[in-house]
Amino acid sequence: MIGQKRMGRASPLFLILLALGFFFATYNLLTMIIHNRASVSGRERIDGLDGSLSLDPVIKMPRDVKISENNKLPFHVALTATDAPYSKWQCRIMYYWYKKVKDMPGSEMGGFTRVLHSGAADDLMDEIPTFVVDPLPAGMDRGYIVLNRPWAFVQWLERATIEEDYILMAEPDHIFVNPLPNLARGDYPAGFPFFYIKPAEHEKVVRKFYPEEKGPVTNIDPIGNSPVIIKKSQLEKIAPTWMNVSMRMKDDPETDKAFGWVLEMYGYAVASALHGVQHILRKDFMLQPPWDLEIGKKFIIHYTYGCDYNLKGELTYGKIGEWRFDKRSYLRGPPPKNLPLPPPGVPESVVTLVKKVNEATANIPGWGDDGR
């Protein structure tokens, strides 16, 4: 009886504590949801190396995407190229490293295609899976050969049989350094954010191609077409627009002057926004020596910049160094085997780049023969 009386007297206090617990739990949950919605503003972003979503996956991520996250979603690797020696040796190195990492744990790479926009077969057809398409009619690129890229993708997507549902748009000067998973999430493609693609700073020019009724300029992602992993069905819609927008940009003197050599990148960014496609921005997608110093968990080395150092290991960018690696040094033919490694003190990214090039050139049959 005594025990029962004590329980009866404690019961109101217990109920009060229980009610307070529920109140604080509900308050915290609502606060998290409201904060999450406000911080995302309707856009999905993945910006960390761990691949964590920056928004509430229950609210924002479609059900079918959530279910498929644990399943493999292979993507087709595609790069556009010319038959010039400069393009060919880069493609050979790129394909070598694709084959090295394709079947490693964590990779979701599928097939590979070099989309050759020379209009004719070349001597790499038996070495690299290649699909030949036509270049733009003579004079249409106005000396800006990159305009052939969207036109090449339009033709390839229309005429080729592509088994995978996703496509990685890559470039010849890419080297895979870690197995690459499918970074896209359903209808959200994955792209690399470039610091120099700034639509908001060029709003006056951008509005010529992205009218105000389409929404704010911030809808245009700070990306180019490569590297991007995207659904094939989305790219089939975007590619013709990408081609037409890029051509119109090149025809407009103000736009051509404003965007220069990255004009085609803006063309893709605007075209995808016109189709309502927004990209997950992955800084870990790619690194660019000499500015990015470490490999870490990044996936692709993009060796677009020259790497110049003195013998103390100090960067001398803009001035030819005592040690250098620059792809433009090999415009007429491939680099030789066994390039000298950088001096002590040079960042890991540059050392790894040269080692990767050396490994590829040592193992690719016929390297350097007949200028190949």
Side-chain angles (χ1 to χ4, degrees):
M1 292 294 293
I2 295 173
Q4 287 180 355
K5 287 181 180 178
R6 285 179 178 172
M7 286 181 65
R9 286 195 295 268
S11 182
L13 177 60
F14 174 76
L15 291 175
I16 291 171
L17 292 173
L18 187 64
L20 286 171
F22 275 118
F23 170 79
F24 284 115
T26 304
Y27 174 81
N28 288 336
L29 178 61
L30 289 173
T31 301
M32 288 173 62
I33 292 173
I34 292 168
H35 174 75
N36 199 32
R37 285 177 173 173
S39 64
V40 172
S41 301
R43 301 195 67 180
E44 181 166 11
R45 285 290 181 267
I46 294 181
D47 204 24
L49 298 182
D50 60 355
S52 58
L53 288 170
S54 64
L55 49 74
D56 189 329
V58 177
I59 295 172
K60 295 293 184 182
M61 185 177 284
R63 183 181 300 275
D64 58 339
V65 176
K66 285 187 67 185
I67 292 172
S68 66
E69 273 192 307
N70 293 325
N71 299 328
K72 274 207 164 190
L73 292 173
F75 54 87
H76 196 97
V77 179
L79 65 155
T80 58
T82 73
D83 59 358
Y86 177 65
S87 177
K88 287 161 70 172
W89 69 256
Q90 293 176 50
C91 288
R92 298 182 80 192
I93 292 174
M94 198 270 196
Y95 184 58
Y96 172 86
W97 283 106
Y98 156 81
K99 291 188 294 182
K100 286 277 288 189
V101 304
K102 177 182 182 294
D103 296 322
M104 288 183 177
S107 168
E108 292 185 82
M109 292 179 174
F112 185 102
T113 300
R114 178 182 64 134
V115 185
L116 181 62
H117 53 78
S118 62
D122 65 4
D123 58 352
L124 294 184
M125 303 294 290
D126 294 332
E127 179 179 332
I128 304 175
T130 299
F131 193 93
V132 179
V133 297
D134 295 323
L136 288 167
M140 280 195 70
D141 64 10
R142 280 67 127 208
Y144 181 55
I145 196 171
V146 187
L147 282 180
N148 284 281
R149 181 175 293 158
W151 174 224
F153 271 108
V154 168
Q155 296 174 81
W156 177 61
L157 291 164
E158 287 180 348
R159 292 160 42 190
T161 300
I162 306 162
E163 295 182 0
E164 297 84 356
D165 291 330
Y166 288 83
I167 292 169
L168 164 65
M169 291 187 283
E171 294 183 12
D173 59 354
H174 286 177
I175 290 177
F176 296 105
V177 289
N178 281 307
L180 180 60
N182 189 337
L183 303 177
R185 295 291 183 269
D187 290 332
Y188 289 93
F192 176 79
F194 289 92
F195 70 90
Y196 50 79
I197 302 296
K198 301 177 179 179
E201 292 188 8
H202 297 281
E203 182 165 3
K204 178 176 177 290
V205 171
V206 166
R207 282 302 185 193
K208 296 181 180 183
F209 312 96
Y210 189 76
E212 290 188 9
E213 58 267 25
K214 284 291 184 178
V217 172
T218 52
N219 286 348
I220 302 171
D221 292 320
I223 59 170
N225 80 289
S226 176
V228 164
I229 299 177
I230 186 171
K231 267 188 175 180
K232 177 174 61 179
S233 57
Q234 291 177 307
L235 188 56
E236 286 171 341
K237 296 174 182 177
I238 292 172
T241 308
W242 171 25
M243 180 187 70
N244 292 331
V245 168
S246 298
M247 297 292 292
R248 287 173 52 208
M249 285 181 170
K250 190 64 179 175
D251 282 337
D252 182 77
E254 183 184 17
T255 306
D256 190 22
K257 181 179 179 180
F259 294 160
W261 64 275
V262 296
L263 180 146
E264 167 268 339
M265 297 173 69
Y266 273 99
Y268 175 80
V270 169
S272 56
L274 287 170
H275 285 275
V277 174
Q278 294 180 330
H279 297 68
I280 301 164
L281 303 182
R282 295 288 302 237
K283 291 182 179 178
D284 60 333
F285 208 154
M286 190 168 74
L287 69 146
Q288 302 184 98
W291 311 117
D292 297 311
L293 307 181
E294 298 177 350
I295 302 295
K297 296 182 180 179
K298 296 182 175 68
F299 300 106
I300 295 171
I301 289 179
H302 181 211
Y303 55 99
T304 189
Y305 298 104
C307 300
D308 288 275
Y309 292 85
N310 62 27
L311 296 183
K312 296 179 181 179
E314 298 168 335
L315 182 66
T316 62
Y317 194 78
K319 176 183 177 183
I320 295 178
E322 296 172 280
W323 180 94
R324 78 179 326 226
F325 176 80
D326 188 337
K327 65 178 184 178
R328 295 162 193 82
S329 300
Y330 308 103
L331 293 174
R332 298 182 180 180
K337 296 180 180 181
N338 197 28
L339 292 169
L341 293 178
V346 171
E348 174 198 23
S349 61
V350 179
V351 176
T352 302
L353 167 60
V354 178
K355 287 182 176 179
K356 296 285 186 183
V357 170
N358 281 345
E359 179 180 331
T361 60
N363 289 282
I364 295 174
W367 186 267
D369 297 348
D370 299 323
R372 294 176 62 201

